[in-house]
Amino acid sequence: MRWSRTLLNTLRDNPQDAEINSHKLLIRAGLARKLAGGLYTFMPLGLRTLHKISAIVRDEMNKAEAQEILMPALQPSELWERSGRLETMGPGMFKLKDRAERLMALGPTHEEVVTELLSNEINSYRQLPCTVYQIQTKFRDEIRPRFGLMRAKEFIMKDAYSFDASMDDADKSYKAMYNAYVRIFNRCGLDARPVEADTGDIGGQWSHEFMVLADSGEDGIVDCAACGYAANQEKAERIIPEKEAQLCPAIEEIETPGIKTIDQLVSFLKCKSSAFIKTLIYLADDQPVVIIIPGNRALNEHKLKRVLQAKKLEMADDATILSVTGATAGFAGPVGLSVKIFADNSLKNATNLITGANKADSHIKNVDIERDTDVTAYEDLVIVTAGDCCPRCRERMQIKRGIEVGHVFKLGTKYTEAFEAKYLNDKGESLEMVMGCYGIGVTRTLQAVIEQSNDKDGIIWPISVAPFAITILNLDPSDDQVNNVVDGLEKELTDHNLDVFIDDRNERPGVKFKDADLIGCPLRVVVGARGLKNNSIEIKQRSSKKNTQVPVEEAAKSIIQLAEEMFQRCNS
Ligand code: ATP
Ligand code: MG
């Protein structure tokens, strides 16, 4: 392919809305263009990379014996009612009506459609196990679409679904997909790490996310260097060192006029935030509950939702707070309340704490949790932070940032129950199939590769997913000899299944070098009249500073050998 015949414009300046490197480079290198917030067009070079990633995904899915299908993106809303997710997905799902006023959804994911499909197609244990997948556009009305392709409203996902006869068989399918994911990200040149994850609204038994470590990542990853435990911060657990109960004087009231927040209390009473109990009132499926955690910690709503097994969880409104505590927000405390109280594990045996008095402008001190409150249950309720103890080995853990590129879930029978997706076993009994679901954000993966692999000059593509393996810079496009050498090289390289992009523009060499670095094809070959006078062609790897001069007649062989080595590295 030749630049002069390609719809490709590189940009000198960063797009204004781009906060992270990969977003800037995606646009500057001419790979994609923005239509509106969260909506992007793939340009010719970007689309080539997208196709290469999809091909790797497809290859590994097929090797794992998953079968490719393609389901509609437009889905009747009744399916979502049957699974109970019409409500839980909330405004994140794009909904619309057809001309007969039937409510439809643009699929954010396909558990409902696939379970309905397979409930009709599978009758007997002889048809199991069965895993299907598709590579398809998904729609999500994200609250904050940003970071380019990372969090888009419309994006491409590979989603796979496994159906098995038993929990044990489902574990095998899960493992097969997990292993395929490890290979996929490896082949894309990505350093992606599996971490334990929350199962969220999708439900199910357990799950792992594949995280690309990057400072710009939106997810926190809790990491234990000692034993290898790694989990999404949404899900991560911690162990609390045992505490001895201490003697505690009787409760005393303190006046705190207009002092409502922990920060205000810290400066007003001159003590640490850990000396306070943070009291939070929530509505769990419309029932008020009180949550207490140490004043220096943040509640993990995902954990709370799991503990309460609530479908819907929201912070209580002012009226509820008043009716539960008898005071306005800011003065709530757990002492003397008659609704259920859930306390963080770290408050077990805790004494000498300060909390709201359930009375305007007052707090109380010397609170002894065991003595003074009626806790329903102690649970792990807070967001794990650096320095917390590992739930496996008790060592201190760290926090890293990551981009979620893939997610595998063991779902169990949540959807097959709702859709009565049953099969007959060898004894003729009718049983629900056991499901797993597995997603890769194909478009997000593309950008994650850029985020992980770039320098100040541009992208450094791994050869497996580069728009082109090789870019040839023709420094003198009006020189016949140069053109002949370039054409000859192109033919020889493409005959070896290597894709070649030729910069044949009438531009200064400096411009071509800059653009080659920005676009980041892994091998750069420079052919110019001056070099040819010495019978020499320059070869350079994008990832290295060094370039080598080779005689014209040896150039193709050297390039092919280098490219083969690079491919081997991606596949190992
Ligand atoms: P996130 O937590 O980032 O919102 P998710 O957990 O909701 O993602 P899944 O439902 O697990 O996403 O979807 C599978 C994969 O699809 C994710 O691992 C991610 O790579 C990709 N993905 C999800 N949402 C988006 C989005 N808005 N834009 C691009 N890719 C996305
Ligand atoms: Mg996910």
Side-chain angles (χ1 to χ4, degrees):
M1 217 158 121
R2 269 144 216 272
W3 192 320
S4 60
R5 304 293 315 138
T6 304
L7 188 57
L8 170 62
N9 290 303
T10 54
L11 307 177
R12 202 179 291 241
D13 296 321
N14 289 319
Q16 286 208 325
D17 62 338
E19 296 166 65
I20 61 174
N21 272 341
S22 54
H23 183 188
K24 295 174 188 165
L25 291 170
L26 178 82
I27 306 297
R28 284 190 50 215
L31 303 174
R33 288 289 178 254
K34 177 171 156 182
L35 170 67
L39 301 174
Y40 287 85
T41 298
F42 281 89
M43 301 303 281
L45 265 61
L47 192 60
R48 289 181 66 90
T49 288
L50 190 63
H51 285 156
K52 287 190 183 181
I53 295 174
S54 302
I56 291 173
V57 170
R58 215 170 242 126
D59 185 47
E60 291 296 340
M61 283 295 115
N62 295 344
K63 279 184 186 150
E65 297 195 350
Q67 304 171 61
E68 187 167 7
I69 60 173
L70 184 57
M71 293 177 271
L74 189 61
Q75 312 175 357
S77 67
E78 293 94 73
L79 287 181
W80 291 81
E81 265 161 35
R82 266 166 85 180
S83 67
R85 284 209 291 182
L86 193 60
E87 203 182 340
T88 52
M89 294 299 279
M93 189 152 74
F94 280 104
K95 297 184 199 93
L96 64 164
K97 285 193 174 153
D98 70 6
R99 64 173 78 209
E101 290 290 303
R102 270 184 299 253
L103 188 63
M104 315 285 284
L106 287 175
T109 173
H110 275 71
E111 283 77 19
E112 281 76 1
V113 178
V114 80
T115 314
E116 156 80 8
L117 175 78
L118 278 267
S119 73
N120 294 321
E121 298 299 323
I122 302 244
N123 303 307
S124 152
Y125 70 96
R126 290 191 190 87
Q127 295 168 281
L128 298 175
C130 176
T131 299
V132 292
Y133 77 96
Q134 62 177 348
I135 297 179
Q136 192 223 30
T137 301
K138 298 280 187 274
F139 299 87
R140 294 187 185 181
D141 198 353
E142 297 281 359
I143 300 171
R144 252 192 103 189
R146 59 184 187 148
F147 299 154
L149 306 173
M150 293 285 191
R151 185 163 300 285
K153 285 185 169 166
E154 178 180 328
F155 59 96
I156 298 175
M157 197 201 283
K158 184 287 301 173
D159 42 329
Y161 306 89
S162 64
F163 292 81
D164 277 283
S166 68
M167 287 289 172
D168 285 350
D169 288 353
D171 287 343
K172 287 182 200 143
S173 297
Y174 183 91
K175 198 71 200 154
M177 284 295 121
Y178 181 105
N179 291 338
Y181 276 33
V182 171
R183 287 192 298 270
I184 287 168
F185 295 123
N186 246 334
R187 284 180 62 182
C188 290
L190 268 179
D191 181 11
R193 171 154 184 208
V195 308
E196 291 180 19
D198 188 52
T199 47
D201 281 338
I202 203 163
Q205 296 185 313
W206 64 71
S207 82
H208 287 89
E209 283 164 349
F210 286 77
M211 291 286 189
V212 170
L213 293 185
D215 291 340
S216 65
E218 289 189 280
D219 288 277
I221 301 165
V222 174
D223 176 55
C224 175
C227 74
Y229 170 76
N232 191 313
Q233 224 172 352
E234 287 178 351
K235 138 102 202 221
E237 295 159 24
R238 79 207 203 284
I239 280 255
I240 307 293
E242 296 276 320
K243 251 197 316 258
E244 296 278 316
Q246 285 184 340
L247 279 180
C248 183
I251 286 181
E252 259 180 61
E253 199 172 307
I254 30 184
E255 277 185 34
T256 50
I259 310 285
K260 292 184 176 181
T261 65
I262 301 265
D263 281 350
Q264 289 169 338
L265 284 162
V266 163
S267 48
F268 185 71
L269 296 173
K270 305 210 169 17
C271 39
K272 286 193 198 151
S273 55
S274 56
F276 298 92
I277 302 172
K278 201 184 270 181
T279 307
L280 305 158
I281 325 277
Y282 272 81
L283 287 168
D285 296 330
D286 302 321
Q287 290 302 311
V289 284
V290 170
I291 319 300
I292 54 172
I293 59 175
N296 61 340
R297 304 298 300 237
L299 175 71
N300 183 331
E301 288 192 356
H302 300 276
K303 286 184 184 173
L304 180 63
K305 209 169 173 188
R306 252 197 322 268
V307 162
L308 300 176
Q309 300 197 336
K311 281 209 181 89
K312 200 169 85 190
L313 185 70
E314 55 197 342
M315 290 193 81
D317 50 292
D318 287 347
T320 307
I321 296 175
L322 192 64
S323 79
V324 168
T325 69
T328 53
F331 300 100
V335 178
L337 298 184
S338 53
V339 293
K340 284 189 174 167
I341 300 176
F342 291 85
D344 182 58
N345 279 334
S346 60
L347 290 177
K348 220 179 262 172
N349 287 333
T351 51
N352 291 300
L353 295 164
I354 306 169
T355 189
N358 296 324
K359 192 169 131 186
D361 298 333
S362 318
H363 281 75
I364 48 176
K365 66 177 188 178
N366 305 334
V367 175
D368 177 328
I369 296 275
E370 301 293 323
R371 182 190 69 193
D372 303 322
T373 70
D374 187 11
V375 169
T376 310
Y378 290 94
E379 301 280 355
D380 180 18
L381 293 176
V382 304
I383 297 175
V384 171
T385 53
D388 280 343
C389 296
C390 173
R392 301 257 170 86
C393 75
R394 294 178 172 263
E395 288 297 319
R396 303 271 169 201
M397 302 185 286
Q398 324 164 28
I399 307 288
K400 295 179 170 163
R401 309 295 313 164
I403 301 163
E404 178 196 325
V405 284
H407 202 162
V408 291
F409 287 92
K410 182 175 175 201
L411 285 171
T413 54
K414 172 174 166 159
Y415 294 92
T416 49
E417 270 172 37
F419 287 88
E420 294 177 28
K422 294 183 178 178
Y423 72 98
L424 291 176
N425 70 5
D426 56 357
K427 299 188 190 71
E429 295 159 327
S430 177
L431 299 171
E432 267 123 19
M433 292 186 273
V434 184
M435 249 180 104
C437 72
Y438 318 92
I440 289 182
V442 181
T443 41
R444 186 184 284 183
T445 297
L446 182 154
Q447 207 182 306
V449 174
I450 303 177
E451 188 66 25
Q452 208 170 51
S453 191
N454 68 73
D455 64 14
K456 65 175 192 356
D457 298 318
I459 305 170
I460 306 174
W461 287 109
I463 199 163
S464 54
V465 298
F468 293 89
I470 299 150
T471 178
I472 302 181
L473 309 191
N474 180 336
L475 296 190
D476 299 286
S478 50
D479 182 314
D480 285 345
Q481 195 201 356
V482 173
N483 288 338
N484 282 339
V485 171
V486 168
D487 291 350
L489 266 182
E490 182 189 22
K491 173 149 192 343
E492 231 176 306
L493 297 174
T494 44
D495 283 350
H496 273 85
N497 283 328
L498 290 169
D499 40 15
V500 179
F501 188 57
I502 298 167
D503 188 350
D504 59 342
R505 294 173 301 166
N506 283 316
E507 290 284 358
R508 282 181 293 112
V511 172
K512 294 189 180 183
F513 285 113
K514 255 195 150 45
D515 278 335
D517 278 349
L518 177 60
I519 295 169
C521 296
L523 280 167
R524 187 188 80 189
V525 178
V526 181
V527 186
R530 212 187 310 158
L532 289 190
K533 275 205 187 106
N534 302 320
N535 192 37
S536 140
I537 285 177
E538 182 195 288
I539 304 172
K540 182 180 165 296
Q541 297 188 34
R542 175 65 182 85
S543 59
S544 133
K545 294 249 172 301
K546 237 179 40 216
N547 55 34
T548 46
Q549 306 290 332
V550 293
V552 175
E553 55 286 0
E554 282 172 28
K557 202 170 133 232
S558 304
I559 297 165
I560 291 163
Q561 195 185 341
L562 267 175
E564 272 169 7
E565 283 166 17
M566 286 171 143
F567 273 113
Q568 261 161 23
R569 257 177 276 148
C570 278
N571 284 327
S572 63

